[in-house]
Amino acid sequence: MSVRSWWAYRALPALAARLGPRAESWLPPPSGDVQAGALAAKAAAAAVKDERDSAAPEADPAPFAMRQARYLLADRVDVYAMTAVGAAGLTRWARIEGDLPKRGAYLALTLHYGAGMWAHAAFGEAHRASRWLYAPVAPPADRWMAWLIQRRLEALQRVMGHAPLPTGGSASQIVRWWQSGGGVMALYDVPVHGHRRCVRLNTRRLGPVFIPLGLFQMAAQNRVPVYFYRCWISAPDGLRRVRIAPPLCTDDIGVLLRHAAAWWDEALDHDAAAWHFWPGLS
């Protein structure tokens, strides 16, 4: 495997994890992350149809691209940091804003946004029956990328105390987990495939977007409290900030979907460069 891959997925993030928060702010990100950031900046600019939009990306795409590149690096750094110290590193690496669930069923939803590993440690520390719902992917050909994916799942199991739950026939497992008092964390801005039921969100920043309906429908049917959260990096200190909205407990799917759209817009307003799926819009 190439030295470039080893540096991007193994050596550099491991070094930054040893150095602590803020390291990715001065360590040069790998060239692949810089290229991904440039593509994201281009896609974000194209997504804003009205240049007078106050939420439009900055005119100079370079800062946007570099922020995204640093988020991509930070996401890998946190895997190594969490692997090394587990949940004990939470106070060093992160700050929590809002109330975490402590008991009973819950659903926590977030976006592919920022660097979110330490949010799992926070939810897992507060609620001892928390699990991460994830979509398995085919093992990549790149050895170091595949290695990092496995380390991420192992780190999540360590800090949450339960194995991550793969999607694909998981609905009944989720309901049983809720019935036993467990909580589930998941992403909601995931690609929609032809065989999945989907629903349209009307966002201000992106216009109409389609997302899977399942988790929203299940939460409403079971009246499970829904926590929306997001994570970003504070520029001055490099700390991972986890913001958690007050829980919503309703059987009205429309209420949940409107809140999901507003939360998405708010996240992009805060820092559009922190969202990882810009190229997928094109």
Side-chain angles (χ1 to χ4, degrees), residues 24 73-74 81 90 95 97 101 115 124 130 139 154 164 175 183 196 206 211 222 255-256 277:
E24 68 275 347
L73 172 58
L90 185 60
R95 295 292 181 271
E97 303 175 9
S130 296
E154 291 172 357
V175 172
R196 304 177 71 169
L206 304 176
I211 62 170
N222 292 275
V255 170
L256 296 177
F277 269 14

Side-chain angles (χ1 to χ4, degrees), residues 82 86-88 90 96 99-103 106 108 116-132 155-163 177 181-185 229 242 244:
M82 191 174 288
L90 185 60
I96 311 301
D99 295 326
L100 290 156
K102 293 181 171 58
R103 63 183 63 87
Y106 76 84
M117 284 291 288
W118 290 105
H120 300 283
F123 276 84
E125 281 284 286
H127 191 302
R128 296 296 182 171
S130 296
R131 298 182 75 176
W132 172 242
L156 291 176
Q157 180 169 347
R158 178 183 178 186
V159 299
M160 301 182 79
H162 300 275
W177 187 247
V184 174
M185 302 176 71
Y229 74 97
V242 182
I244 306 157

Side-chain angles (χ1 to χ4, degrees), residues 15 33 38 79 86 96 104 106 114 117 158 195 204 214 232 243 267:
L15 171 63
D33 292 343
V79 174
I96 311 301
Y106 76 84
M117 284 291 288
R158 178 183 178 186
H195 65 281
R204 170 174 48 80
W232 72 96
R243 177 168 296 168

Side-chain angles (χ1 to χ4, degrees), residues 177-280:
W177 187 247
W178 283 339
Q179 291 171 344
S180 70
V184 174
M185 302 176 71
L187 296 155
Y188 70 92
D189 61 333
V190 297
V192 174
H193 303 293
H195 65 281
R196 304 177 71 169
R197 296 187 62 192
C198 62
V199 65
R200 187 175 78 174
L201 290 188
N202 294 310
T203 69
R204 170 174 48 80
R205 287 297 304 268
L206 304 176
V209 293
F210 290 87
I211 62 170
L213 175 63
L215 285 173
F216 293 93
Q217 188 173 57
M218 291 165 58
Q221 289 174 345
N222 292 275
R223 290 191 62 85
V224 170
V226 178
Y227 293 77
F228 287 90
Y229 74 97
R230 65 176 179 270
C231 314
W232 72 96
I233 298 175
S234 174
D237 52 26
L239 291 173
R240 281 56 169 159
R241 304 280 174 170
V242 182
R243 177 168 296 168
I244 306 157
L248 295 172
C249 188
T250 177
D251 57 6
D252 187 338
I253 297 178
V255 170
L256 296 177
L257 294 175
R258 286 191 293 273
H259 196 88
W263 191 251
W264 202 332
D265 283 326
E266 187 179 324
L268 296 182
D269 287 345
H270 178 82
D271 187 0
W275 190 48
H276 299 295
F277 269 14
W278 283 111

